[in-house]
Amino acid sequence: MSTIESGGNPEAKSISGLTLSDDWRRVLAPYSHIVLVANSTIVNVADIVREYPPTALFVFFNKVYKILDEPFEGNAVLVSRAQPNGANIVYRGEVGEVVSFFEKANFLGIMNIRLGQEEKLNSAADFNGEPTAHLDLVGLCQDFYTEGKLPTSGFAMALWLADLGIPASIVLAGFSARRSEKWRLVSVHDWNLEQTFLRTFARLGRIDLHGGIEQNAYKNLAKRFPEISAEDIALSAAEVLSERLADTNAEVDKLISLTNIIRAGDNFLRRLKPRMFKKRS
């Protein structure tokens, strides 16, 4: 990205082998901003970079080729989430492709994070010898996160950084949790809880949301009609949301019924595939 000035890295340091919080504070202390960039349809990396000084550190996640179409020259860290079979960029053989998007001089390395007991961290050798740090965050959100669900990597990193007590401004870019044709929302995460938490954190000044926080119409409603309590507004909003969700579910049930034949045909063809492959072999 040509918008990043060369030499903007404040004493670039490798994150290789970091484990202790004090080590992380030392390495991250020189940066003015730590910008977490989500893999999202609303992200334009060039526009985001232009808004921050050369002393900003940009944190990317896993398959950066989804949002980068040219080499990134700024200060960068890649977060790679552990999985039961190890990081997906490792077992899919994509480490070289992903890392190739970062300028070596300003690339601090790969942060391999773990959030579930069943997730397995990878060695530096698995990441082709790239500088690698391991961050075990199992239990980080255990006291409040929805039972049976796991936090997203971005949410966990935002919370961890906010608790780390570093001087940098922590900025979240593209954390919209919007479903689209290109981006799906994995059901193992509680997206509603995360969005609620992040916006609350932003209003408390613990983090910043790139582009700012949208005006809350319900808050403005309370200002316009002070005789109505915030509790009454919240209850009414919950009632409306519940009714709209019930209506949506009813329409979804109709669509499921209408697509029964299509899904039956799809399942039949899927069962035929193994037989067809056997005949070819």
Side-chain angles (χ1 to χ4, degrees):
M1 298 287 177
S2 58
T3 52
I4 290 286
E5 298 178 17
S6 60
N9 192 333
E11 292 186 49
K13 298 176 182 177
S14 167
I15 62 171
S16 181
L18 294 186
T19 55
L20 301 177
S21 295
D22 286 343
D23 293 332
W24 284 107
R25 291 188 187 97
R26 172 178 49 80
V27 170
L28 298 177
Y31 298 97
S32 59
H33 301 76
I34 298 181
V35 185
L36 280 62
V37 185
N39 291 332
S40 168
T41 187
I42 66 171
V43 162
N44 184 311
V45 176
D47 289 345
I48 292 171
V49 168
R50 273 192 288 268
E51 295 195 26
Y52 299 96
T55 50
L57 173 66
F58 293 86
V59 180
F60 293 90
F61 297 86
N62 292 312
K63 301 175 182 180
V64 297
Y65 50 75
K66 290 185 174 183
I67 56 172
L68 290 176
D69 52 15
E70 61 179 323
F72 184 82
E73 299 176 359
N75 308 314
V77 166
L78 175 69
V79 172
S80 181
R81 173 73 171 267
Q83 301 289 341
N85 294 323
N88 58 17
I89 64 172
V90 172
Y91 67 72
R92 293 181 181 177
E94 297 177 329
V95 175
E97 179 184 3
V98 170
V99 172
S100 68
F101 280 93
F102 300 108
E103 177 66 38
K104 288 292 183 183
N106 297 329
F107 182 53
L108 274 67
I110 297 173
M111 184 185 293
N112 190 200
I113 70 170
R114 175 173 176 257
L115 289 161
Q117 290 288 354
E118 74 286 356
E119 296 175 352
K120 299 177 182 177
L121 296 169
N122 289 91
S123 66
D126 292 334
F127 290 111
N128 298 348
E130 294 290 337
T132 302
H134 297 107
L135 193 60
D136 193 334
L137 299 179
V138 173
L140 176 70
C141 308
Q142 185 176 351
D143 56 340
F144 69 88
Y145 208 84
T146 306
E147 186 175 356
K149 302 281 188 178
L150 283 174
T152 62
S153 301
F155 177 78
M157 287 300 301
L159 181 57
W160 177 74
L161 286 167
D163 286 342
L164 198 59
I166 52 179
S169 297
I170 300 162
V171 184
L172 274 59
F175 283 70
S176 64
R178 293 179 186 173
R179 181 181 280 105
S180 69
E181 293 180 2
K182 183 179 179 182
W183 306 96
R184 63 192 182 97
L185 300 181
V186 183
S187 60
V188 73
H189 309 304
D190 189 334
W191 299 94
N192 291 335
L193 174 70
E194 293 195 6
Q195 286 296 303
T196 300
F197 191 98
L198 291 176
R199 293 189 188 195
T200 303
F201 242 38
R203 288 190 168 92
L204 291 174
R206 296 289 302 278
I207 62 172
D208 294 323
L209 299 182
H210 178 77
I213 305 174
E214 296 179 359
Q215 285 288 332
N216 189 315
Y218 296 99
K219 190 173 182 179
N220 292 337
L221 182 64
K223 289 181 180 178
R224 174 63 178 80
F225 301 99
E227 67 273 18
I228 305 176
S229 70
E231 181 182 1
D232 286 337
I233 293 174
L235 288 173
S236 297
E239 182 181 16
V240 171
L241 181 61
S242 178
E243 290 178 359
R244 290 178 61 83
L245 183 59
D247 291 341
T248 301
N249 286 338
E251 295 303 317
V252 170
D253 287 340
K254 292 178 185 178
L255 290 174
I256 291 174
S257 298
L258 289 173
T259 56
N260 277 338
I261 296 176
I262 298 174
R263 284 184 288 109
D266 180 67
N267 291 334
F268 176 72
L269 291 174
R270 288 178 185 274
R271 287 196 298 270
L272 286 180
K273 282 184 179 180
R275 298 176 188 175
M276 295 172 65
F277 288 140
K278 286 181 181 179
K279 287 181 180 179
R280 289 178 183 175
S281 61

